[in-house]
Amino acid sequence: MNWKEIYQKKKVRIDYVLNLVHSNSTIVTGMAASEPQIFLSKLHEVPPSLQDINVFTCLNMKDYPFFSTKESEGRFINNSWFYNGSNRKVVLQGLKTMTYVPNNLHQAATNLIQSRKIDMYVGIASPMDKNGYLTLSVGITYEKDILEKTDLVVLEVNNNAPRTHGDTQVHISEVDYIVETDYPMPEISIVEPTEIERNIGERIADLIEDGSTIQIGIGGIPNAVAQFLKNKKDLGVHTEMMTETMVDLFEAGAINNKKKTLWPGKFVCTFVLGTQRLYDFCNDNPGILMLRGNYVNDPYIISQNDQMVSINTALMLDITGNVCSEAIGARHFSGTGGQLDTHRGAVKSKNGKGIIALRSTAKGGTISTIVPMLPQGAPVTIPRQELDYVVTEHGVAHLRGKTVRERTLELIGVASPDFRNDLKNEAQKIGII
Ligand code: COA
């Protein structure tokens, strides 16, 4: 077969793809850095007569017009597995173009496939090789499962998309249309940790023993943790998201993946998001095994890594240990993502640790993030029966196996001193201490 000829026949312009969109259709796109930016930037240009176009996305990289203007109401709905700042802004403005999909990351694809017919998948890919294989590049969280269950597959083939290893290969024969592009891969800048975040990071690093396998996200606290891990030995990585801090730790010699009990020698992840340096590191790197989210983030799989440590951050928790990481009261903020998955996997692993890290106050020290009760409407991201470690700038609370009375006292002990008396009084009023 001449795969190049077949590829050429499938090559179309984006206007051709937009003509394939119809009313009441369900379209799923790649997430984050795997988002098809040409398609999403132009989607609002489909004829105004088209209505009820359901788009499933996750962690948008741009403020796309299809969900951010009044004209889009009734025409499009952006169903998101994870909100970003522009998604929140749209909701605050009262536009009816956004809704959230509650999910654990490892179930995203399966749940969607079981709930509806998917008409179209649009994602990105790295260029085709001589055997006709492209790769889905920086993400197969749900992308490959959806692609396999869809009638129509469109890929934006980007010269800048890293060619990745693992289960990311897709053959040209499985693709309906190709749109060639060369936009730069989206980058998210590194957040420099604050003094409080460095304090929290140092406490977490003390909990991580040599030979541990880690999951770590992005943001000030994870970046601070990484700074204190540079002198550790034989760390491994099993994570949903591959980040730049892992490249730093690999180059510092702290991560070598050697002692992992599952996939020794390999970084295991399901998506990559960061800077060009990270994408260059992932390009054609056989040391990085990208596997589907339904495998990587399955708590049972995660728990097969002995000494697994998950580090996640939260917005607030109540004094008995119910954690809310995705909303401020009933106002949706981000998403569950893989937080419950990775936490559960770590807690179940032999000698594992599930760590929730957060600053003890928010809004310039005016409110405590440890509260007597979660506000009305706040969803629980990690229920208290699964909580393990909580780390703030005031200390470490270890709650596994502790009673309501014990954990309340421990959590008050790591709350801001400015709020400890109030929390104690409230706990007494409720009758739990
Ligand atoms: N009450 C009210 N507001 C609060 C608050 C609280 N208890 N805690 C934080 N906030 C506000 C902050 O002031 C800030 O407001 P601003 O945007 O106006 O400055 C905002 O909420 C964000 O807080 P911040 O602490 O800066 O959040 P972050 O960027 O560090 O993200 C999470 C923290 C928890 C939202 C984020 O990690 C998340 O979405 N986690 C869930 C998913 C997950 O962990 N997935 C797995 C890892 S990849």
Side-chain angles (χ1 to χ4, degrees), residues 376-431:
Q376 205 172 16
V380 172
T381 311
I382 298 178
R384 63 185 187 177
Q385 60 271 31
E386 306 198 40
L387 202 55
D388 194 16
Y389 286 92
V390 174
V391 182
T392 73
E393 69 275 27
H394 300 291
V396 176
H398 191 196
L399 307 179
R400 202 190 281 225
K402 302 275 168 72
T403 65
V404 167
R405 183 184 164 76
E406 288 165 339
R407 54 178 60 214
T408 299
L409 292 172
E410 283 220 29
L411 284 174
I412 292 173
V414 299
S416 160
D418 295 344
F419 295 98
R420 286 184 194 162
N421 275 342
D422 290 350
L423 289 171
K424 218 175 250 174
N425 291 338
E426 286 299 321
Q428 278 164 351
K429 261 196 227 158
I430 308 168

Side-chain angles (χ1 to χ4, degrees), residues 82 215-218 220 240-241 271 311-316 325-326 328 333-339 342 359 362-363 367-369:
F82 202 95
Q215 171 268 332
I216 200 168
I218 40 165
E240 65 194 57
M241 179 167 72
F271 73 97
I311 302 149
N312 288 301
T313 52
L315 291 170
M316 60 187 91
S325 310
E326 59 195 75
I328 298 171
F333 189 85
S334 52
T336 307
Q339 183 164 126
T342 52
R359 289 171 283 267
K363 303 280 171 208
I367 54 172
S368 174
T369 54

Side-chain angles (χ1 to χ4, degrees), residues 164-168 212-216 234-260 262-272 277-278 281-283 285-292 295-296 305 308:
T164 51
H165 290 246
D167 191 14
T168 53
S212 297
T213 293
I214 56 172
Q215 171 268 332
I216 200 168
D234 299 325
L235 296 180
V237 172
H238 183 112
T239 186
E240 65 194 57
M241 179 167 72
M242 178 82 191
T243 65
E244 182 150 1
T245 52
M246 293 166 188
V247 183
D248 293 336
L249 291 172
F250 178 75
E251 288 180 352
I255 291 177
N256 59 21
N257 294 307
K258 276 188 191 154
K259 294 248 168 101
K260 290 176 76 180
L262 183 69
W263 295 111
K266 303 277 186 191
F267 284 89
V268 172
C269 68
T270 189
F271 73 97
V272 180
R277 175 173 165 243
L278 173 67
F281 181 78
C282 295
N283 187 36
N285 185 340
I288 303 173
L289 193 61
M290 288 189 66
L291 299 172
R292 299 175 197 231
Y295 172 85
V296 172
N305 294 289
M308 179 76 215

Side-chain angles (χ1 to χ4, degrees), residues 99-301:
T99 188
Y100 172 63
V101 193
N103 239 315
N104 289 313
L105 183 140
H106 84 280
Q107 292 162 309
T110 318
N111 286 353
L112 194 70
I113 290 163
Q114 286 174 358
S115 76
R116 67 202 70 214
K117 178 179 178 302
I118 299 159
D119 299 296
M120 188 171 179
Y121 171 76
V122 192
I124 69 157
S126 61
M128 187 179 80
D129 68 11
K130 63 181 185 342
N131 297 314
Y133 283 98
L134 309 99
T135 78
L136 294 182
S137 190
V138 287
I140 53 166
T141 304
Y142 55 79
E143 286 86 341
K144 195 165 180 182
D145 300 270
I146 302 285
L147 181 152
E148 288 167 350
K149 292 282 179 204
T150 313
D151 295 338
L152 193 56
V153 175
V154 179
L155 294 179
E156 289 184 3
V157 174
N158 188 338
N159 276 324
N160 299 313
R163 181 172 190 80
T164 51
H165 290 246
D167 191 14
T168 53
Q169 298 74 34
V170 171
H171 197 259
I172 186 66
S173 55
E174 295 170 70
V175 182
D176 295 293
Y177 297 106
I178 295 287
V179 177
E180 284 187 341
T181 71
D182 59 0
Y183 51 80
M185 291 298 287
E187 295 191 72
I188 51 163
S189 49
I190 296 171
V191 189
E192 204 38 54
T194 62
E195 211 32 60
I196 291 180
E197 288 167 341
R198 283 174 57 80
N199 176 326
I200 296 172
E202 193 167 8
R203 290 175 196 276
I204 294 174
D206 285 345
L207 293 172
I208 300 176
E209 289 160 36
D210 290 344
S212 297
T213 293
I214 56 172
Q215 171 268 332
I216 200 168
I218 40 165
I221 293 176
N223 289 350
V225 178
Q227 291 183 0
F228 291 100
L229 291 179
K230 288 203 169 131
N231 295 324
K232 300 275 177 188
K233 291 187 181 60
D234 299 325
L235 296 180
V237 172
H238 183 112
T239 186
E240 65 194 57
M241 179 167 72
M242 178 82 191
T243 65
E244 182 150 1
T245 52
M246 293 166 188
V247 183
D248 293 336
L249 291 172
F250 178 75
E251 288 180 352
I255 291 177
N256 59 21
N257 294 307
K258 276 188 191 154
K259 294 248 168 101
K260 290 176 76 180
T261 49
L262 183 69
W263 295 111
K266 303 277 186 191
F267 284 89
V268 172
C269 68
T270 189
F271 73 97
V272 180
L273 180 60
T275 58
Q276 190 55 46
R277 175 173 165 243
L278 173 67
Y279 301 133
D280 290 343
F281 181 78
C282 295
N283 187 36
D284 202 13
N285 185 340
I288 303 173
L289 193 61
M290 288 189 66
L291 299 172
R292 299 175 197 231
N294 64 18
Y295 172 85
V296 172
N297 258 44
D298 181 336
Y300 169 75
I301 299 296

